[in-house]
């Protein structure tokens, strides 16, 4: 019998098919979507030594046609046309495929999905094109620092362990060789690993369980039985790979220190989770913690503990520290503090208090488990089925059966200087080696015996202590009875400049809530310098209150202050009972802030680093960042922010902070487990917290640039040493429901056609799409491609040609196909909120957009229903295509340049070239 949350209303039925396939059927009557996920206990660890990336290659190939559905794009089109999504991933020891769809199309979708694992074509004709796509995916991440650090990690472990192998694959590793074709290896890999005994399948839908059982048996019983899995016994690290110091040069300006301890696999401990106590204590951010002391000494900005790679026979327990400039110079002092705290943990048996606190929170999280979308649910379940026995498929991640002192003590023995690796990441290290695939500079050397001895015998630092009991932890949260039913928030307070919206949660019945406080301040956006200082205020405030309120964060009460285009927003979330207490303290800190010059300089350095790193992002991300800045005057580009921040003084910043809340407007949402009387008390707290200083005249409206009716603007963006990229963006003149629906339908309809032509057929690159991109509620449609080998001129030409000819391809679409497609998009939009979080986000978005009827979704659905295929074709011909004069109107085209001289390539296009962002503002009007 599966352990199930009292708040989980789904019905579950585990099942084993005749071929040995483990299946979990889930009846979910509260969703109109159905979903399925199939996980295989095979991943890149199963790649042959001479065929690295093969598991990933096979994953890609399975999408490209089966015996019964030979068209390589048919599955994708079917899922998309019926309101669904699909994807897959390849990990170290597992691979997972998944989709969702309108529930009435589940049988047809399962027929196509199951054929992946029964009779895929794995056709020679697709091997070369998909090999190119794998290579493009590899090249896309060549400058990704996470991938690059991973590559150094692989190069510095036991090379006999499968973790050491290259997992993505590229043209070299997946090439045909004399007497060894890639297709033959693909077939062999599939035959060996895609077997029922290695698979787990989860299917969820509103159908009855017996109907789901019939579908599972009908479509998946033909998967070949068998499948043996060899246990990995080779150690990830030999003695020679430990007590090593590894220096790595990143692409971005980063300063990081990782103290990594090698552990065996910890899956066997899942019922007790002893590692969670070590994570809790080493990652603590309150008084007496490692991070608290490092911050006092201005050595670190942040710290996390417990993360790190893990697998069936290994686990890295990492302490990752984000360093200040000073910290980078004093790494020995930081390491002494880390090992001093570990000595504290070992000095006497750990109190059960910390485990019990974690246990209470895990129990609350399970008892009041929030609903997931079916797609997320089956993904999680299919993977859990690979790790847990049947009864713990759902509960396994939450179980904390009790603290096992022996297990905790056993894991503590691995936190030893003789069992560690130190990784230093920064720009100032001398490196003499390159990693094999991503060409990352690194240096490796042994930690001296004297240093190891010092850490081994170090005394406990006087400022390091274990945390006190957490006052925010509650045993049994109360869910308040419903006072009245309502489908939308009500306005319970409407002063001049303060609007408070309230809705009690009557849907999810969880002891949680969300409080949003939107603070509009005209001063915050009066200049670029003020925008920078607002962001610095948010950053310094957030850092300043971490230690004081860390207990609340641990106890499941979360808070965040973030900047928006009119000022800032304070958000609280999580367990509702003690949120008002935290809110009171946060508001006091917000208004009575007391910032030091040291904190100011640290924040300034952090923002300089962030904006300097902006030009290291992938090409398409930089083009979209440029687009966002061009279209929104209150959202300056990173280059402008960087230029401005350098000249801001501490005195100037403190004058700004003193005036920031003098003239404000407040918009508030209180949604969740509170009665109206509670909400009014919270509203009073907010009024008092801001000293009743608010006025409706201070509301900030966010403008966008209006290029309606203007000739095309070309925006060249200098991106040396990056992939080529181009974005063609069409912002719409109006933001009414008809314009929004028409833009959404068009982008959604064109996306699979564009993908098929630009990626599958023409092989331009891995990042290819047509997307619906609204900016400040004005709808827009973007065509974009990032390519490692094709110039922006060619990319734009290909997109122009696609736009010019796509109407002809739509002429053959039948009315039945069109209605099915529309219904699919409508079903996606009409999907119910699955959690209190998503419903709160929707309500807050409506309030922020001045949609006080809270029914925009319904109006949009009605508009979609009214639009015909002829209107979409007319939209393409009249809005997206060139005019009779061979000009594009109302289009912004952003293109990458390797050097400035390349901008001359666009001079004959009959468009206006924008070389500086201010030029576009000067040539256009603003709209709100």
């Amino acid at each position: 019998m599966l352990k199930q949350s009292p708040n989980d209303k789904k019905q579950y039925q585990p099942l084993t098919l005749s071929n040995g396939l483990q299946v979990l059927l889930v009846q979910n009557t509260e969703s109109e979507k159905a979903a399925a996920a199939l996980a295989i206990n095979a991943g890149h660890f199963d790649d042959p030594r001479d065929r690295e990336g093969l598991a990933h290659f096979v994953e890609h190939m399975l999408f490209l046609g089966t015996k019964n559905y030979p068209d390589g794009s048919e599955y994708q089109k079917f899922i998309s046309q019926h309101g669904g999504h699909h994807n897959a991933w390849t990990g170290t020891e597992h691979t997972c495929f998944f989709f969702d769809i309108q529930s009435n199309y589940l049988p047809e979708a399962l027929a196509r999905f199951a054929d992946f694992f029964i009779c895929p074509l794995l056709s020679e004709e697709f091997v070369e094109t998909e090999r190119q796509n794998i290579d493009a995916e590899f090249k896309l991440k060549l400058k990704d620092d996470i991938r690059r650090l991973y590559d150094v990690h692989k190069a510095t472990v036991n090379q006999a362990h499968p973790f050491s192998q290259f997992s993505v694959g590229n043209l070299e590793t997946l090439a045909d060789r004399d007497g060894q074709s890639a297709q033959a290896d693909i077939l062999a890999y599939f035959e060996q690993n895609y077997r029922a005994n290695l698979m787990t399948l989860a299917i969820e839908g509103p159908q009855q369980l017996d109907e789901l059982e019939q579908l599972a048996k009908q479509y998946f019983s033909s998967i070949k039985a068998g499948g043996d899995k060899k246990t990995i016994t080779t150690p990830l690290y030999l003695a020679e790979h430990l007590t090593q110091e590894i220096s790595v040069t990143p692409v971005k300006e980063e300063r990081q220190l990782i103290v990594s301890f090698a552990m065996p696999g910890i899956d066997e401990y899942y019922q007790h989770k002893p590692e969670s106590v070590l994570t809790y204590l080493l990652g603590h951010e309150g008084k007496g913690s490692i991070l608290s002391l490092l911050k006092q000494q201005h050595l670190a900005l942040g710290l996390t503990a417990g993360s790190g790679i893990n697998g069936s026979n290994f686990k890295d327990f990492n302490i990752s520290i984000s360093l200040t400039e000073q910290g980078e110079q004093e790494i020995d002092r930081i390491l002494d503090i880390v090992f001093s705290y570990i000595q504290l943990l070992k000095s006497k048996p750990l109190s059960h208090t910390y485990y019990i606190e974690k246990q209470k929170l895990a129990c609350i999280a399970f008892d009041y488990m929030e609903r997931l979308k079916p797609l997320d649910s089956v993904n999680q379940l299919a993977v859990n089925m690979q790790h847990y026995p049947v009864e713990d498929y759902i509960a396994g991640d939450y179980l904390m059966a009790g603290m096992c002192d022996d297990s905790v003590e056993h894991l503590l023995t691995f936190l030893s200087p003789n069992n560690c690796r130190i990784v230093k990441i920064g720009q100032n290290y001398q490196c003499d080696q390159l990693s094999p695939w991503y060409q990352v500079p690194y240096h490796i050397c042994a930690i001296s015996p004297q240093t190891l001895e010092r850490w081994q015998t170090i005394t406990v630092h006087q400022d390091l202590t274990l945390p006190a009991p957490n006052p925010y932890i509650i045993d049994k949260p109360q869910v308040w009875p419903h006072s009245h039913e309502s489908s939308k928030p009500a306005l319970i307070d409407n002063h001049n400049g303060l609007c408070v919206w309230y809705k009690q949660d009557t849907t999810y019945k969880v002891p949680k809530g969300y409080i949003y406080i939107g603070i509009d301040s005209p001063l915050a956006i009066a200049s670029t310098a003020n925008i920078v200082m607002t962001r610095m205020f948010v950053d310094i405030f957030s850092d300043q209150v971490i230690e004081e309120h860390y207990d609340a964060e641990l106890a499941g009460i979360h808070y965040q202050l973030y900047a928006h285009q009119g000022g800032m927003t304070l958000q609280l979330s999580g367990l509702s009972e003690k949120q008002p207490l935290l809110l009171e303290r946060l508001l006091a800190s917000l208004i009575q802030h007391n910032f030091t010059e040291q904190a100011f300089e640290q924040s300034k350095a952090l923002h300089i680093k962030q904006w300097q790193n902006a030009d290291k992002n992938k090409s398409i991300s930089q083009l979209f960042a440029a687009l966002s800045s061009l279209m929104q005057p209150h959202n300056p580009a990173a280059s402008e922010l960087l230029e401005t921040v350098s000249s801001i003084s501490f005195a100037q910043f403190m004058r700004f902070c003193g005036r920031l809340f003098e003239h404000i407007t407040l918009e508030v949402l209180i949604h969740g487990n509170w009665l109206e009387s509670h909400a009014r008390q919270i509203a009073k707290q907010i009024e008092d917290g801001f000293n009743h200083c608010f006025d409706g005249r201070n509301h900030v409206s966010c403008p966008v640039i209006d290029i309606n009716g203007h000739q095309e603007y070309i925006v060249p963006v200098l991106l040396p040493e990056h992939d080529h990229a181009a974005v063609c963006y069409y912002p719409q003149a109006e933001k009414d429901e008809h314009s929004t629906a028409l833009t959404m339908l068009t982008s959604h309809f064109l996306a699979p056609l564009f993908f098929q032509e630009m990626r599958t057929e023409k092989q331009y690159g891995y990042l290819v799409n047509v997307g619906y991109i609204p900016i400040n509620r004005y709808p827009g449609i973007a065509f974009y491609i990032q390519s490692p080998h094709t110039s922006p001129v060619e990319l734009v030409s290909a997109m122009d040609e696609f736009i010019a000819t796509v109407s002809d391809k739509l002429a053959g679409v039948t009315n039945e196909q069109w209605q099915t497609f529309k219904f699919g998009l409508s079903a996606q939009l009409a999907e119910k909120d699955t959690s209190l979080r998503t419903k709160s986000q929707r309500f807050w978005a409506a309030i922020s957009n001045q949609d006080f009827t809270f029914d925009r979704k319904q109006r949009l659905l009605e508009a979609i229903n009214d639009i015909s295929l002829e209107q979409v074709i007319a939209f393409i011909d009249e809005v997206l295509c060139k005019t009779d004069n061979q000009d594009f109107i109302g289009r912004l085209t952003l293109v990458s340049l390797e050097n400035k001289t390349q901008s001359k390539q666009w001079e004959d296009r009959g468009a206006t070239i924008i070389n500086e962002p201010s030029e576009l503002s000067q040539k256009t009007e603003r709209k709100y």
Side-chain angles (χ1 to χ4, degrees), residues 148 151-152 154-157 159 244-250 429-446:
R148 291 165 68 84
D151 199 37
V152 173
K154 286 172 175 289
T156 56
V157 301
Q159 295 301 292
Q244 299 289 302
E245 181 179 285
I246 304 163
S247 305
V248 182
T249 304
Y429 302 116
Q430 296 297 315
C431 297
D432 53 9
Q433 297 188 62
L434 292 175
S435 68
W437 298 104
Y438 290 77
Q439 300 294 290
V440 185
Y442 73 97
H443 172 75
I444 186 165
C445 64

Side-chain angles (χ1 to χ4, degrees), residues 50 213-214 593:
D50 62 346
E213 179 178 350
Q214 182 56 41
H593 51 265

